[in-house]
């Protein structure tokens, strides 16, 4: 396509650069609409970006924390003041509703301003040395060049919570956003660039992961990779990161099959709200989404009925329409995955209580009714495999002990929730759930930006993201001994 000149370009070494090809960013609420044209770079662009990031590292890593603070704070301010416009852009490319899109931009702004402060709070330690007259210091230094590879479901918040700490702690970055959502990524980079980042400190390379991701994960000048996405891609990245001579540090945030346990003593309204919010909002496209409701017998039927009734009240429609509660699925491929799992659930013998049909709207888009299955056996594929869509299953449990066992009976370990009014069961669940995040009487998805985020088992690998814990990934520790 000869539209390369009209596209939003990649940022390499402080220059906006054309690429050989162009991506059409399609609106999933109305596939006739092209949100914009975006450069589609390749391996050579990624290579140049790594070189630019490497060249920019010495000066940036030695820069004043005040400078890093000010740039991030300026960018946070611009994001916050443009949240309506950028929220609209985000919702147009990803399909989450406008309030969800605006909320996500505001969250990205908060992440940037939190991390601006963190640039000023890089702590060290001092312990007595064991030799007479020996002083010791433990200090944190930046890692070097960080490759950031982000998914499509949070097009601005996830890039923000990877890029902001990388920059705050003095690293330089090569950023490869998901193919489906370049607009939010481009806007974030444009804002950070204009906020005063020196050339080469933040580089943007949009294009296919097969080319750009593989350069980042194998290039000897890249020191670390922060990735959020699917388990198979995460495993490939991990293999590439250790295969080369440089043995990169990695932070991988991957799938989930998050349980929400509902006990007999739960407040039914709270349980239904947690379930619906956690499983179906943002079209179920969150790695923290609840996809397994594990429900004890005494509340089971009322819960299933309550969720079905609540689903009845939700309107699925164009992401930008004020009366839509849930937007479309992100693209045709994901819609096909969702529909195929709905089919698998039916064939496995689960009962489809509500939804699961593809919907027609005024505009051509990937609309899907949320699907609720009951009588789901824990061995069924819909109870074991991550679907990443608005599909949830209900499994019966005899009592708390069995519910806890079922909650933990998964290869994943990202988020786990429980709805109960029993302090004893809530406390026990918090202690024994094999998950990185545990929620009591709250939806499993929806997280605070100042707290650590990450999971266990197949869900995550490496140190936590977000809050002050991000320092553990984005810095390397040095231990110094001095005799005067
Ligand atoms: C949230 O639930 O608010 O990709 C955040 C994801 C997660 C972020 C979830 N890394 O869905």
């Amino acid at each position: 396509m000869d539209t390369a000149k009209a596209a939003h370009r990649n940022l390499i070494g402080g220059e906006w650069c054309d690429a050989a090809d162009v991506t059409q960013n399609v609106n999933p609420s109305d596939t006739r609409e092209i949100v914009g044209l975006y450069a589609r770079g390749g391996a050579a662009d990624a290579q140049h970006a790594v070189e630019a990031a490497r060249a920019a590292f010495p000066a940036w890593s030695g820069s004043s924390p005040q400078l890093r603070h000010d740039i991030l704070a300026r960018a946070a301010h611009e994001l916050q003041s443009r949240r309506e416009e950028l929220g609209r852009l985000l919702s147009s490319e990803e399909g989450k509703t406008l309030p969800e899109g605006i909320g996500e931009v505001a969250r990205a702004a908060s992440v940037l301003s939190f991390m601006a402060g963190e640039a000023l709070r890089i702590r060290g330690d001092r312990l007595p040395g064991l030799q007479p007259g020996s002083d010791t210091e433990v200090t944190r230094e930046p890692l070097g060049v960080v490759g950031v590879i982000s998914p499509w479901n949070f097009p601005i918040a996830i890039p923000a919570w990877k890029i902001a700490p990388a920059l705050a702690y003095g690293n330089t970055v090569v950023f490869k956003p998901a193919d489906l959502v370049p607009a939010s990524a481009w806007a974030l980079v444009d804002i950070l660039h204009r906020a005063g980042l020196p050339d080469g400190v933040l580089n943007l390379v949009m294009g296919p992961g097969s080319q750009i991701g593989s350069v980042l994960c194998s290039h000897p000048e890249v020191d670390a990779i922060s990735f959020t996405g699917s388990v198979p891609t995460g495993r490939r990245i991990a293999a590439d990161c250790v295969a080369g001579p440089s043995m990169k540090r990695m932070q991988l945030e991957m799938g989930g099959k998050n349980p929400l346990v509902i006990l007999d003593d739960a407040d039914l309204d709270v349980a239904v709200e947690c379930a619906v919010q956690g499983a179906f909002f943002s079209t179920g496209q969150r790695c923290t989404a609840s996809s397994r409701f594990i429900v004890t017998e005494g509340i089971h039927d009322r819960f299933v009925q309550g969720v079905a009734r609540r689903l009845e009240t939700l309107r699925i429609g164009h992401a930008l329409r004020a009366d839509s509660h849930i937007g479309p699925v992100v693209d045709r491929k994901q819609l096909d995955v969702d529909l195929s799992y709905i089919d698998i659930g039916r064939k496995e013998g689960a009962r489809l209580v509500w939804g699961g049909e593809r919907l027609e709207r005024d505009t051509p888009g990937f609309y899907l009714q949320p699907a609720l299955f009951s009588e789901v056996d824990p061995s069924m594929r819909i109870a074991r495999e991550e679907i990443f869509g608005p599909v949830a299953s209900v499994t019966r449990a005899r009592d708390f002990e069995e519910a806890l066992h079922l909650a933990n009976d998964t290869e994943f370990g990202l988020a786990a929730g429980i709805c109960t009014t029993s302090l004893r069961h809530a406390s026990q669940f918090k202690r024994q759930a094999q998950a990185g995040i545990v929620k009591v009487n709250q939806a499993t998805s929806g997280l605070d930006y100042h707290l650590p985020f990450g999971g266990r088992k197949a869900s995550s690998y490496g140190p936590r993201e977000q809050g002050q814990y991000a320092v553990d990934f984005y810095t390397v520790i040095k231990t110094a001994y001095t005799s005067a």
Side-chain angles (χ1 to χ4, degrees), residues 45 68 75 84 95 152 170 195 275 309 379 407:
D45 301 297
R68 306 203 293 268
E84 306 260 338
W152 50 259
R309 252 191 232 131
S379 65

Side-chain angles (χ1 to χ4, degrees), residues 107 151 153-154 158 161 228 285-288 445-447 453:
R107 179 174 176 177
N153 65 331
F154 283 90
I158 292 181
W161 81 54
T228 300
Q285 296 173 155
R286 294 187 277 202
C287 59
T288 47
S445 50
L447 305 167
F453 170 70

